[in-house]
């Protein structure tokens, strides 16, 4: 927790996100162009929706990743009433 925000992180041990792709993963309909990803169904909207919800509540959402080792998705939310 920092000042009036809480930090929440979720880590996985998946394929990771290739270097240079992190900048695009929150764009609507974007899917990482990797063979492993083609095996997973989806429209590329999940992270876009997540970011919109977090930002609507006065927070921030970001990702860090190491290809071949996994990713960490983190977000902050305000602890104050009326955040935004």
């Amino acid at each position: 927790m920092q000042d009036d925000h809480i930090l929440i992180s979720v880590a996985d041990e998946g394929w990771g996100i290739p270097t240079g792709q992190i900048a695009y993963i929150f764009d609507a309909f974007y899917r990482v162009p990797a063979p492993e990803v083609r095996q997973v169904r989806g429209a590329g909207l999940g992270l876009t929706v997540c970011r919109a919800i977090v930002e609507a509540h006065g927070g921030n959402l970001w990702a860090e990743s190491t290809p071949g080792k996994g990713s960490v998705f983190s977000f902050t939310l305000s602890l104050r009433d009326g955040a935004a």
Side-chain angles (χ1 to χ4, degrees):
M1 187 168 66
Q2 296 177 290
D3 300 323
D4 57 350
H5 285 78
I6 187 167
L7 170 66
I8 300 168
S9 297
V10 178
D12 68 33
E13 296 176 351
W15 302 301
I17 301 165
T19 304
Q21 299 298 308
I22 294 276
Y24 305 105
I25 63 172
F26 295 100
D27 292 349
F29 303 109
Y30 184 78
R31 306 235 9 228
V32 172
E36 300 89 357
V37 174
R38 283 183 242 148
Q39 299 171 10
V40 179
R41 293 173 40 143
L45 290 173
L47 291 174
T48 303
V49 171
C50 288
R51 178 173 266 178
I53 292 169
V54 167
E55 289 178 352
H57 286 86
N60 293 304
L61 171 65
W62 66 94
E64 300 170 24
S65 187
T66 303
K69 295 193 176 187
S71 303
V72 178
F73 294 85
S74 302
F75 65 97
T76 60
L77 290 174
S78 176
L79 296 174
R80 295 185 298 162
D81 289 339

